[in-house]
Amino acid sequence: MRIAILDDDTTILEFACTVLSAAGHTCHPFDSGKEILHQLRRESYDILILDWQVPDLSGTEVLQWVREKLSPTLPVLFMTGRSTEDDIIAGLAAGADDYMIKPIRRGELVARVNALLRRAYPAQTAEEFMQ
């Protein structure tokens, strides 16, 4: 599946892409909110993973645009260092489908992405998500 990831930390971005590529997904990394919005106007993705805090546009601003302009069923996972209960509630209330707190754990990332994809695309075969 095609995954767009927004994070301004290149180490985390590379780690997430390596993990998700090894799980059989195609990863498209972005390090700025404006860059991912530009691509979202031109290409489609099966799931978005957004960091909350990026310098030019926050993950919540990107998410707001996504919910207004794209399919309401497009799964969005927040992957962020913001870890208070209020942060988690705010991220989910803003329209995220799931929320993951950094530091990222390899198995958890794959499991959360696969769970979101199974719910969003139930017609896909289970093998596609279990690679």
Side-chain angles (χ1 to χ4, degrees), residues 4-124:
I5 303 180
L6 170 64
D7 201 305
D8 62 321
D9 183 327
T10 56
T11 303
I12 293 172
L13 201 55
E14 289 173 5
F15 175 74
C17 283
T18 299
V19 168
L20 293 169
S21 294
H25 301 292
T26 303
C27 188
H28 300 268
F30 299 94
D31 61 6
S32 87
K34 290 179 182 175
E35 182 186 2
I36 196 170
L37 285 184
H38 178 74
Q39 281 304 114
L40 286 168
R41 288 181 179 99
R42 302 171 55 179
E43 292 188 50
S44 64
Y45 299 94
D46 300 305
I47 186 172
L48 305 180
I49 299 175
L50 305 175
D51 184 10
W52 190 312
Q53 297 170 260
V54 289
D56 59 347
L57 288 174
S58 71
T60 53
E61 290 172 305
V62 172
L63 179 55
Q64 181 181 6
W65 184 90
V66 165
R67 291 301 182 224
E68 289 174 2
K69 306 290 186 188
L70 301 179
S71 168
T73 61
L74 176 66
V76 177
L77 169 67
F78 259 128
M79 184 174 72
T80 179
R82 296 180 67 155
S83 61
T84 69
E85 182 180 12
D86 289 341
D87 291 332
I88 296 166
I89 292 167
L92 295 171
D97 298 293
D98 200 357
Y99 196 100
M100 191 169 177
I101 299 167
K102 295 175 184 176
I104 300 306
R105 292 173 299 275
R106 179 183 311 265
E108 181 184 2
L109 176 60
V110 172
R112 287 181 184 274
V113 164
N114 287 344
L116 287 170
L117 290 169
R118 276 193 312 272
R119 286 193 297 274
Y121 308 102
Q124 301 292 330

